Amino acid sequence: MLNLKFFFSPLFALFTSIVIAFAALIQSTGFYRNNLREKSEIYLNSTVGLWILVCSISYLLGIIVYEAIWNSRKNRYISSQNLAIQAENSKKFTKLLLIFTLLINLFAIYQLVAYFGLYGFYMTLLGNGSEDLRLAVYRALKAVNTGWAIAFTVPVVCISYVTVKKTKDRHVGFLLFFLLVIHIVLILSTQSKGPIATIATSIMICELLINYPKVKINFKKFVVGLFLAIVLAFSLLIIQSRRNPEILTYQGIYNELVSYTLVSYNRLSYVMNGDLEIPNNGIGFWTNRWYWGLPGDTIVPNLFDIKPQYDAFSAWLETFNKVDNAKLDERYIWITIYGEVYVDYGYFGFMWFVIYGLFSQMLYRHISRGNLSVYAIYPFAMQCNFGWYSGAAIGTRATLLCVIIAVYITVSNKIHQRKEMI
């Protein structure tokens, strides 16, 4: 069986990003006009092409730097035994984490029911109604301050899944199953396919990486994986069809794939040409969304006289208006990770990519050491690495929540190991 571990590395994610970027650069102006009836500024744009190349090289440099650090140490692959031990040591914490996450998901649903009424909430699940229910639900979650429950659930599911696989604990398994059911209900109310894809993909990544460095798929796993992938794809299409019925057609699927990938690079070109203004530009907002909105988030910025004009939710909404003002299709606001970094730091953004590359390679390498804590971060980070065509998802609040859980597990396992040595 072929070892597939390379496909999970930051290097492969970088390769796919470059391929998509190149495909976007060589498309004629007619391609964008025919798909979205908008003017193209990306075709053979040397400025955009050079910027993507510099950022990609900088990311690669970060990978190389960490590889040099890694290879200078004596590292042994101890994943199977070490991961099983850590999972066993962390069972109690995992159960508490599952219960807490389950409660915040239930609380978020309760608040939405209180906000919309039982019938209104039922209608959001079905996707019925004349108003933009997705926007209404997000406004409600922001108003009651429980929207973070969606991002918080991702690392909890990853840690719990690995714990179940390594310990076979029935209580953890039951709590995980119950959490997934409740979480799917919460996600369906948002009319968004993204969180469903994130959770499902995270579980798949954990399943494949759990025996790292041997990432192998036998025939049975291939068939099961293919079946689940097809079910997931159809589920995402159905969810999206509630807002865009055309997606259930061949042309609709094609337009959706193109609009969320290649066309986003056209928005990047508009940003770099000065024809598209993004809210909160020049203050490091989009690559540090994990920070803005935290208690005391104004202390450090005030020292440098920095103040965002919009909060995260308002900035997201305002981006639709900015895209529309640029005479582009306002439904598609993505400007790629290269665009968000450029908006934040200008041409100095290449330095941010060096740090990002180092961080990605560090997580990838620590999977090989059987660190349970890394499973709280890497499945999400890996998806961020493959989603450069949309934006800098690695800078969102979800990453911060992943890191917090990972740090706690690391510290608790260190304490447990010291107690055993005494």
Side-chain angles (χ1 to χ4, degrees):
M1 292 184 291
L2 180 67
N3 195 336
L4 304 177
K5 69 175 184 177
F6 174 71
F7 295 98
F8 294 84
S9 71
L11 278 174
F12 185 68
L14 175 63
F15 170 75
T16 60
S17 174
I18 293 174
V19 169
I20 295 174
F22 179 76
L25 284 164
I26 64 174
Q27 296 298 328
S28 66
T29 55
F31 171 82
Y32 297 95
R33 185 170 56 250
N34 295 335
N35 280 281
L36 288 178
R37 297 181 179 85
E38 63 185 33
K39 179 183 176 182
S40 167
E41 296 187 5
I42 184 68
Y43 179 60
L44 298 181
N45 189 317
S46 58
T47 302
V48 173
L50 183 60
W51 173 240
I52 291 172
L53 180 61
V54 169
C55 292
S56 299
I57 292 174
S58 299
Y59 182 79
L60 179 61
L61 178 61
I63 293 175
I64 294 172
V65 168
Y66 191 80
E67 276 297 286
I69 297 172
W70 178 266
N71 292 329
S72 66
R73 301 174 180 175
K74 292 182 179 180
N75 296 296
R76 292 178 298 174
Y77 292 114
I78 51 176
S79 55
S80 297
Q81 181 182 5
N82 194 41
L83 186 58
I85 293 172
Q86 290 192 33
E88 188 67 35
N89 294 342
S90 302
K91 274 199 308 184
K92 290 183 179 179
F93 171 69
T94 303
K95 290 175 184 177
L96 291 174
L97 198 58
L98 278 166
I99 293 171
F100 173 73
T101 310
L102 182 59
L103 289 175
I104 62 172
N105 274 264
L106 285 170
F107 186 58
I109 291 175
Y110 167 78
Q111 288 183 310
L112 288 177
V113 171
Y115 191 92
F116 291 102
L118 186 60
Y119 180 74
F121 179 74
Y122 173 70
M123 295 297 283
T124 67
L125 295 179
L126 297 180
N128 295 330
S130 57
E131 63 175 324
D132 188 340
L133 289 175
R134 180 178 69 139
L135 183 57
V137 171
Y138 279 129
R139 287 187 187 278
L141 288 172
K142 182 178 184 295
V144 297
N145 198 28
T146 49
W148 59 276
I150 296 175
F152 188 83
T153 303
V154 177
V156 175
V157 167
C158 293
I159 291 296
S160 304
Y161 183 81
V162 174
T163 300
V164 169
K165 293 289 291 188
K166 287 297 180 181
T167 65
K168 311 297 182 184
D169 190 285
R170 293 183 179 180
H171 296 101
V172 176
F174 172 77
L175 287 171
L176 174 60
F177 175 77
F178 193 26
L179 171 62
L180 287 173
V181 172
I182 297 300
H183 187 64
I184 289 173
V185 172
L186 175 60
I187 290 174
L188 288 177
S189 70
T190 68
Q191 311 289 306
S192 180
K193 62 185 181 299
I196 289 281
T198 299
I199 283 289
T201 307
S202 295
I203 293 175
M204 292 179 187
I205 292 172
C206 287
E207 171 64 27
L208 291 169
L209 286 179
I210 203 166
N211 292 317
Y212 189 95
K214 295 180 180 180
V215 184
K216 297 184 177 181
I217 302 177
N218 55 30
F219 180 75
K220 181 181 178 180
K221 279 190 175 182
F222 174 78
V223 172
V224 172
L226 181 62
F227 172 75
L228 292 176
I230 293 173
V231 171
L232 176 62
F234 274 103
S235 300
L236 297 180
L237 287 175
I238 292 172
I239 292 172
Q240 187 70 3
S241 69
R242 297 185 298 178
R243 292 189 285 121
N244 178 20
E246 295 178 359
I247 199 175
L248 294 180
T249 66
Y250 171 79
Q251 189 63 39
I253 295 174
Y254 173 77
N255 288 343
E256 193 80 358
L257 290 174
V258 167
S259 299
Y260 279 103
T261 52
L262 300 184
V263 174
S264 61
Y265 284 86
N266 194 37
R267 278 123 180 83
L268 166 65
S269 65
Y270 268 69
V271 169
M272 297 193 70
N273 291 344
D275 296 327
L276 173 59
E277 180 186 355
I278 299 299
N280 293 339
N281 59 70
I283 61 172
F285 178 84
W286 294 97
T287 54
N288 295 285
R289 277 166 284 174
W290 60 269
Y291 175 78
W292 301 102
L294 293 176
D297 64 342
T298 60
I299 296 175
V300 175
N302 284 344
L303 297 176
F304 300 94
D305 196 26
I306 294 174
K307 185 178 181 180
Q309 185 178 358
Y310 305 93
D311 62 31
F313 184 72
S314 300
W316 176 62
L317 293 180
E318 183 61 21
T319 304
F320 289 96
N321 295 328
K322 296 294 185 181
V323 169
D324 186 47
N325 293 339
K327 295 181 171 45
L328 298 169
D329 193 324
E330 67 171 1
R331 292 175 298 173
Y332 307 107
I333 63 172
W334 311 114
I335 59 173
T336 78
I337 189 173
Y338 309 104
E340 291 191 351
V341 173
Y342 178 80
V343 165
D344 279 353
Y345 312 110
Y347 288 111
F348 290 102
F350 74 91
M351 293 185 288
W352 181 88
F353 274 95
V354 175
I355 299 172
Y356 183 19
L358 194 149
F359 177 71
S360 296
Q361 190 67 8
M362 177 189 69
L363 295 177
Y364 174 66
R365 279 302 188 181
H366 275 273
I367 288 287
S368 68
R369 302 193 70 180
N371 290 328
L372 178 64
S373 58
V374 184
Y375 285 85
I377 311 176
Y378 194 66
F380 179 74
M382 181 179 168
Q383 293 176 71
C384 294
N385 293 348
F386 278 96
W388 284 17
Y389 54 81
S390 58
I394 196 68
T396 60
R397 186 66 54 82
T399 301
L400 175 62
L401 297 173
C402 292
V403 170
I404 290 173
I405 293 174
V407 169
Y408 184 89
I409 291 175
T410 299
V411 172
S412 63
N413 270 289
K414 291 285 186 183
I415 294 174
H416 195 280
Q417 289 173 7
R418 289 182 179 179
K419 287 182 178 179
E420 287 186 339
M421 294 174 62
I422 297 175

